[in-house]
Amino acid sequence: MSGVVNRQQRRHEATVEEIKSAARELMTREGSSSLNLRAIARELGMAPSALYRYFPSRDAILTALITEAYDAVGEAVEAAVAQAPPDRTATAVLAGVHAFRRWAREHPHEYGLIYGSPVPGYEAPVEATKPAELRTSDALLGLLSRCAEQGLLTLPGDASLPADVLPALCWPGDDPGRPPLPLAMRAVAMQFWIVLLGAIDAEVFRHLPAPLLEHGGAFFDHTMRRALAVMGVDQRAIDAGVSPAW
Amino acid sequence: MSGVVNRQQRRHEATVEEIKSAARELMTREGSSSLNLRAIARELGMAPSALYRYFPSRDAILTALITEAYDAVGEAVEAAVAQAPPDRTATAVLAGVHAFRRWAREHPHEYGLIYGSPVPGYEAPVEATKPAELRTSDALLGLLSRCAEQGLLTLPGDASLPADVLPALCWPGDDPGRPPLPLAMRAVAMQFWIVLLGAIDAEVFRHLPAPLLEHGGAFFDHTMRRALAVMGVDQRAIDAGVSPAW
DNA sequence: TGTACATCAGTGAACGCGCGTTCACTGATGTAC
DNA sequence: TGTACATCAGTGAACGCGCGTTCACTGATGTAC
């Protein structure tokens, strides 16, 4: 009976989850981003060799952890974005970036694992992690396009871009000469992404003066609103966004 | 004779330098940010134990490497900045940020060591690394103040800052109520710093779409000029800056 | 100028440790007739 | 319903490895008289 097979499979998957969560917990507790198979086994009260029933190698666990971390941020951001009313796109963006920041602060080691320096001696298999990685940026940058559609975003013309940045903004899938969306939109979206990563990196890795780190929430909020404003997002739409506690 | 003592000391210091540069080379070659004492010894053709004549422990070598890396970026930025004519401050800033980026791209592992996620199980002694760390930000952010003095930078009033970010911008040494420079200046400088770190992080750690990574120089230049412009730096001063190849 | 002595550089063996992985195994769980 | 068999979960010992660090040592370099 396949119901029984499923019970077996469910048990197996439950243990896989246990292993991953032990690894995650160990990473936040010990702070080691180079994760330790024997320590995971110890945590679970198993023999180290038992883990090989569930993962073919240590690196496979790392890959799973990385994918999970990307998924976790992605999910947090998507959820925050979804809570904003559909006509309040600027609010949604602000909710999304705050969700990103909150997740990063609550999971600094997982954040470091995916957005910090790469783990030595390990190269993530791109096909496994890329889709999860893109969730966050897709969610946030997609909203910027929606801002433009809703007339909340007044872009400069593509002509305002220096000639030498154009190749940086033409993507493989693009119909050459007839890009799917204004290049200025992409430029602005990428710069928004840079500010966002920069603000979170600087805070999580503590590359800012102490008072700024202590009042990080307010300054982050201010920085992201400024970023939206200089992109050309309607100021009233920005002012309407997210008062809830960050 | 103390001349002889000096010769001894010089030999000693020369070996210290050899060790550090072997460690540095090993880091860039093997890519391991968790550096390996035995590998360094191998590289130098010495017994591992010999290194203890020069450093008390592995961590001490790491600390030296971190300090050196900060000093290296700091020096590169300072040198670039110094080459610009004193009345062309915006040019100097642009030269400085390009020097920063160039160094980061040429030394990605050293960059990761100081600006990426912290090395697991190691906490840098702040008093040793902090002065070196501040060289870069001091050099660049100091220039922004000079921009203001030279009338190249029109700041918004402090009143434009949301009330809740003010505590983030008041620093320990400040005379309360009578800050040494406009808080708006600090806000703007910190945001510039965030954009700079974000742009370099995103490029070095590859959190941008491929075309942007391939044409990173042009886009970085554009991003930093935009950042200066939205800060209120005079557009003509920006346009005058740095054409030399990045 | 020569000799006795102290200091330093570097060796080589050894320490204990923890790691990732393998292997042959034992029980328990589920399957087929 | 009972029994023979296959599959899976997990054990425990062992593998080879490389790590950081210690220790007693040997030569070479410099010092003092």
Side-chain angles (χ1 to χ4, degrees), chain B residues 109-177:
Chain B
H109 295 105
E110 280 163 274
Y111 177 81
L113 186 63
I114 55 183
Y115 285 109
S117 27
V119 176
Y122 166 83
E123 183 87 36
V126 190
E127 69 284 2
T129 60
K130 206 68 185 180
E133 180 177 0
L134 291 179
R135 280 178 71 173
T136 303
S137 47
D138 282 356
L140 289 174
L141 303 186
L143 285 179
L144 296 184
S145 297
R146 214 172 78 189
C147 275
E149 286 161 20
Q150 294 175 337
L152 294 175
L153 172 51
T154 57
L155 284 173
D158 286 3
S160 74
L161 293 170
D164 57 357
V165 314
L166 299 182
L169 297 168
C170 293
W171 295 358
D174 289 357
D175 187 356

Side-chain angles (χ1 to χ4, degrees), chain B residues 1 4 7-8 35-38 42 49 52 57-58:
Chain B
M1 215 201 294
V4 180
R7 199 162 81 209
Q8 236 174 214
L35 100 164
N36 181 331
L37 187 143
R38 290 184 101 99
R42 241 174 277 134
S49 48
Y52 285 81
S57 70
R58 191 205 79 124

Side-chain angles (χ1 to χ4, degrees), chain A residues 88-113:
Chain A
R88 301 269 296 274
T89 308
T91 304
V93 175
L94 286 168
V97 298
H98 273 107
F100 193 168
R101 170 175 175 271
R102 202 179 313 117
W103 185 89
R105 281 165 52 91
E106 283 167 5
H107 308 86
H109 296 104
E110 282 164 271
Y111 178 81
L113 185 63

Side-chain angles (χ1 to χ4, degrees), chain B residues 52-65:
Chain B
Y52 285 81
R53 291 267 159 208
Y54 303 94
F55 290 92
S57 70
R58 191 205 79 124
D59 280 7
I61 303 183
L62 231 193
T63 302
L65 241 53

